[in-house]
Amino acid sequence: QHRGQEAAGIVVRNKSRKLNIHKGEGLVSEVFNKEKIEKLSGNAAIGHVRYSTAGGGGIMNVQPFLFRTLDGMMGIAHNGNIVNANLLKKELEENGSIFNSTSDTEVLGHLIKRETGRFVDRICKSLEKIDGAFAFVILVEDALYVARDRYGLRPLSMGRLPSGGYMFSSETCALDIAGAEYVRDVEPGEVVTLTPSGIVSNRELCFKDSSKQARCIFEYIYFARPDAVIDGVGVYASRIKAGRFLAMDSPVEADMVVGVPESGNPAAQGYAMESGIPYGTAFIKNSYVGRTFIKPKQSMRESSVQVKLNVLKDAVKGKRIVMI
């Protein structure tokens, strides 16, 4: 839930190989209940929580998207940002495509539909046309496809469930909670295919040049949960280390080091460890307020912070504070 609070959705493939969908605006607990989950029985599924970075809000942009074609049904969910989405939309519309949303994710469905050959080849040809950072999961009636951008900007991990099935997630902590054993990260530029006969990596098909890699530093600093491990680097450990480096780079005299909950706390601990200044608490966080940064408007973020954080006045009064 910490990766998106605006909307949630699931597409499930049932035993008859048909795709069913349920999605809506709000938190997971607001969109789904026991009755709705029971109607989504099947042997494969993709899910999504929305934090809008492109296309804006509204029910039309809630993922996953479900496409119905003469070739069958296709569900797509996407984490990332396609920077050339508008150029691709213009080109597709000039060739007859009609879009139902303002989301950049919908572009991939139209691109795949226009390609020919094996489905995995159609995916690869489509991804080659996309510029930006992304992790995609694509569910069709006979397979599940998982793809990561050529730079590895967006995180994507693979796990093995006790049942023998596979699970993919933006963060490893989701694998832990589901009881899945972490296997590895999907590599930059890799497409993984899962069918009833097994799992296949298609590294050689897409992105002939994926040697230039980059990571989203924001995942380590703020966005990911502290118990996640991304590309072999623990998020909590990276925040401690960032605080240590900050203390080396910017030493000051102070009475106490404090963090702004939650992501600032490990960095503040690191600063305190390196500097020798005592670590303390300056803010009390309201546990019933969600993440404020990922709210869609600045005014909403500011009003939420007023409710979310309150200063422990007695703890900081008259003290020189390093606030991380």
Side-chain angles (χ1 to χ4, degrees):
Q1 187 72 83
H2 66 282
R3 294 192 72 88
Q5 298 167 179
E6 293 170 47
I10 298 175
V11 167
V12 172
R13 184 178 66 213
N14 64 25
K15 291 177 181 177
S16 304
R17 305 209 319 185
K18 299 299 179 191
L19 304 188
N20 297 320
I21 188 169
H22 180 75
K23 59 183 181 178
E25 293 182 274
L27 303 175
V28 172
S29 59
E30 295 167 337
V31 175
F32 294 97
N33 56 30
K34 187 179 177 183
E35 183 184 344
K36 285 167 184 170
I37 289 290
E38 284 174 351
K39 290 179 181 177
L40 293 170
S41 62
N43 52 28
I46 57 173
H48 189 267
V49 288
R50 182 161 176 77
Y51 155 44
S52 58
T53 54
I59 191 66
M60 64 182 178
N61 289 323
V62 179
Q63 295 185 48
F65 288 118
L66 185 58
F67 298 86
R68 293 174 173 86
T69 75
L70 293 174
D71 299 328
M73 301 171 82
M74 173 174 61
I76 297 179
H78 164 222
N79 168 30
N81 215 318
I82 300 172
V83 296
N84 64 337
N86 287 337
L87 287 172
L88 291 169
K89 278 185 178 181
K90 185 174 184 294
E91 182 184 313
L92 287 161
E93 283 188 6
E94 286 169 354
N95 286 288
S97 289
I98 298 173
F99 289 87
N100 293 312
S101 74
T102 54
S103 169
D104 54 356
T105 308
E106 192 181 356
V107 169
L108 182 63
H110 289 267
L111 290 173
I112 290 171
K113 179 59 184 168
R114 289 184 173 275
E115 296 293 346
T116 56
R118 293 184 309 162
F119 198 81
V120 68
D121 293 321
R122 291 163 61 188
I123 291 173
C124 284
K125 289 174 189 173
S126 302
L127 293 178
E128 290 277 7
K129 295 176 181 176
I130 288 174
D131 236 354
F134 60 77
F136 277 107
V137 283
I138 303 164
L139 183 64
V140 292
E141 293 172 6
D142 59 356
L144 172 68
Y145 299 89
V146 181
R148 192 177 182 190
D149 69 72
R150 73 185 83 196
Y151 306 109
L153 277 159
R154 286 286 168 266
L156 190 58
S157 300
M158 180 195 306
R160 188 82 187 255
L161 291 158
S163 62
Y166 286 91
M167 177 178 170
F168 296 83
S169 175
S170 291
E171 293 184 33
T172 55
C173 52
L175 306 179
D176 298 335
I177 291 163
E181 180 187 358
Y182 169 76
V183 175
R184 65 178 178 87
D185 290 286
V186 176
E187 294 181 7
E190 182 181 11
V191 176
V192 179
T193 304
L194 291 92
T195 66
S197 57
I199 183 168
V200 177
S201 170
N202 301 286
R203 288 186 185 89
E204 72 286 349
L205 291 179
C206 292
F207 307 117
K208 301 300 182 282
D209 178 24
S210 56
S211 57
K212 183 184 176 185
Q213 294 185 14
R215 297 294 182 269
C216 176
I217 198 69
F218 200 50
E219 292 282 353
Y220 295 103
I221 292 169
Y222 168 83
F223 204 55
R225 225 170 70 166
D227 51 337
V229 178
I230 299 173
D231 293 309
V233 178
V235 171
Y236 179 79
S238 74
R239 290 176 187 170
I240 293 279
K241 197 173 285 188
R244 283 187 175 276
F245 286 137
L246 184 60
M248 295 177 200
D249 180 69
S250 304
V252 294
E253 288 186 17
D255 302 308
M256 188 164 69
V257 182
V258 304
V260 178
E262 293 286 334
S263 54
N265 289 341
Q269 289 169 26
Y271 193 103
M273 290 173 190
E274 189 64 34
S275 66
I277 301 168
Y279 172 77
T281 301
F283 296 98
I284 297 301
K285 180 190 168 192
N286 182 338
S287 300
Y288 301 95
V289 176
R291 292 194 105 169
T292 46
F293 174 83
I294 58 176
K295 294 211 178 266
K297 293 179 181 176
Q298 181 65 18
S299 58
M300 294 169 71
R301 295 172 199 157
E302 290 174 6
S303 61
S304 293
V305 167
Q306 292 293 323
V307 179
K308 182 179 181 179
L309 298 175
N310 198 28
V311 177
L312 264 175
K313 297 183 179 71
D314 290 344
V316 300
K317 189 175 182 179
K319 291 180 181 174
R320 297 168 300 171
I321 302 292
V322 176
M323 185 174 73
I324 312 292

